Amino acid sequence: MLRIRGRAPRAAVALAAAGALAGLLAACSGSPAPPADGTPAAGQPVTTVPGGSALPPASTPSASASAPSRPLAGQVIVVDPGHNGDNWAHPAVINQLVNVITEMKPCDTTGTETDAGYTEAAFNFNVAIRLARLLRAEGATVILTRTSNHGVGPCITQRAAIGNRAHADAAISIHADGGPPGGSGFDVIEPGLIPGHTDAIVGPSHRLALDIRDAYHRITGEPYANYVGHDALDVRTDLGGLNLSTVPKVFIECGNMRNAADAAKLSSPAFRQRIAVALAAGLTAFLAPAGLVPSGGASIPGAPAG
Ligand SMILES: [Zn+2]
C-alpha cells in the first residue's frame, strides 16, 4: 500500500511533468494508469459473479437454523475502498498535505496495480461493493466512503471522518499491496497507540484485526504475508485513516498485486467474492459473534480446505 515500486508506471511521466512526483512516491505502491476497457473493473453487477457458480448466496455466511438471519441488524459499518480510480489524473488534489497527527502526508494516493494493469483502486471498490451487499443482507447499515471508481479522493482525513460521524461500530479500509514481487500473502493493519488520540480504539481495533485475519485466512486460503507484519498483523501509526479514527478500524492488504500468483487471484471475480465473504464473516465475528454458524466459514461452500 505504501511501498514504492521500481518500475516506471505508465502515468508517471505525465504526472511527474506536472510536478506530482511526490504523490507518486507516497502512493500505495505506484501510479496506475486508468483501467483499460475490458479489464476487470469496479462497478460490475454483484448479482452476477462470472465463474462464481460455486459461491454461496449473500446470506449463507450467517444463515443457519439456530442463528439469527440478520445478526448485524442495528450495526453501522463503514467500508472504505482505498484510493479512487481517477486519483492519477488529479495530482493537485491528492497531493495536498493533510495532518494525520504523526506527520503531514498527501491527502490520498493512486494505489498500485497488477502487471496486467488491473488497478488497486478498481479492486478495492469491487470488493467493497460485494462486501456491502453481504453486510446489508445481514441487516447492517453500510456506509461507503466512495460510491464509484470514477472520481478523486476523498482525502484520508475525510475517510476517517466519515466513520467518526456515523459513530460506526466498525470500519474497514480495503487495499491490496504493492510489495516486492517475491513476497505474497495478506496482512491486517491496526492502529498503534498515539496517546491522547487512539487510546480508545487500540483495544477494540486489535480484536477486530484478529477476527478479520482469522476469517480471511480460513475462508480465502490466502497465507499470511511473508514480507511484512507478523502473523498477518501490522501495527502502524503513520496512516491517517487509523490515526484519526474514533471508531474501531483496521486496514487489510488483501494480497500483493506485484506478485504474480497473488495478482492472478485478486484479478478473479470469484476470488473477490470469496474475499467479501471472508471480510463479512470477520466483521460478523467481531460485531455479533452469536450470529455466526458454529463452524464459522468452514461451512461455506467453495471455501478452500485448510
Ligand atoms: Zn492501497
Side-chain angles (χ1 to χ4, degrees), residues 129-196:
I129 57 174
R130 292 171 186 275
L131 174 60
R133 177 170 172 261
L134 294 172
L135 295 173
R136 285 168 178 151
E138 292 191 58
T141 297
V142 179
I143 299 169
L144 292 164
T145 59
R146 59 182 172 98
T147 54
S148 83
N149 194 43
H150 303 287
V152 58
C155 288
I156 53 177
T157 48
Q158 288 305 308
R159 292 172 192 263
I162 289 168
N164 298 346
R165 279 199 300 269
H167 302 288
D169 296 288
I172 184 167
S173 188
I174 297 168
H175 290 258
D177 206 3
S184 63
F186 79 99
D187 80 315
V188 179
I189 305 170
E190 58 183 282
L193 179 62
I194 306 172

Side-chain angles (χ1 to χ4, degrees), residues 38-69:
T39 58
Q44 55 187 251
V46 294
T47 49
T48 56
V49 182
S53 58
L55 290 166
S59 60
T60 297
S62 63
S64 78
S66 59
S69 60

Side-chain angles (χ1 to χ4, degrees), residues 21 63 77 92 95 99 126 150 213 226 273 295:
L21 193 55
I77 301 171
N95 287 336
N99 185 346
N126 188 255
H150 303 287
R213 180 198 64 178
N226 60 12
Q273 182 67 15
S295 55

Side-chain angles (χ1 to χ4, degrees), residues 9-297:
R10 275 170 278 163
V13 175
L15 290 180
L21 193 55
L24 295 181
L25 296 177
C28 216
S29 296
S31 131
D37 289 340
T39 58
Q44 55 187 251
V46 294
T47 49
T48 56
V49 182
S53 58
L55 290 166
S59 60
T60 297
S62 63
S64 78
S66 59
S69 60
R70 293 167 62 85
L72 297 178
Q75 303 283 349
V76 177
I77 301 171
V78 167
V79 176
D80 173 37
H83 317 284
N84 202 333
D86 289 345
N87 276 4
W88 65 274
H90 298 275
V93 175
I94 67 169
N95 287 336
Q96 298 173 82
L97 294 181
V98 295
N99 185 346
V100 303
I101 301 173
T102 51
E103 61 185 282
M104 300 292 290
K105 65 192 307 183
C107 139
D108 204 6
T109 52
T110 57
T112 189
E113 65 180 343
T114 68
D115 281 350
Y118 182 42
T119 68
E120 184 201 346
F123 166 85
N124 297 340
F125 185 69
N126 188 255
V127 170
I129 57 174
R130 292 171 186 275
L131 174 60
R133 177 170 172 261
L134 294 172
L135 295 173
R136 285 168 178 151
E138 292 191 58
T141 297
V142 179
I143 299 169
L144 292 164
T145 59
R146 59 182 172 98
T147 54
S148 83
N149 194 43
H150 303 287
V152 58
C155 288
I156 53 177
T157 48
Q158 288 305 308
R159 292 172 192 263
I162 289 168
N164 298 346
R165 279 199 300 269
H167 302 288
D169 296 288
I172 184 167
S173 188
I174 297 168
H175 290 258
D177 206 3
S184 63
F186 79 99
D187 80 315
V188 179
I189 305 170
E190 58 183 282
L193 179 62
I194 306 172
H197 295 280
T198 59
D199 310 68
I201 67 161
V202 164
S205 296
H206 179 62
R207 293 192 293 277
L208 175 60
L210 293 175
D211 285 333
I212 294 288
R213 180 198 64 178
D214 292 351
Y216 195 88
H217 186 57
R218 183 178 72 245
I219 294 172
T220 69
E222 182 73 359
Y224 294 172
N226 60 12
Y227 63 95
V228 66
H230 298 281
D231 296 330
L233 296 175
D234 200 4
V235 178
R236 288 173 59 170
T237 57
D238 63 321
L239 298 176
L242 296 180
N243 292 358
L244 298 168
S245 182
T246 59
V247 301
K249 186 172 181 180
V250 297
F251 280 43
I252 183 166
E253 299 283 2
C254 292
N256 179 10
M257 288 194 132
R258 310 304 307 157
N259 174 274
D262 274 6
K265 285 188 275 191
L266 299 172
S267 300
S268 156
F271 192 79
R272 291 197 296 276
Q273 182 67 15
R274 187 166 295 173
I275 287 174
V277 168
L279 298 179
L283 286 159
T284 302
F286 176 72
L287 293 169
L292 286 177
V293 295
S295 55

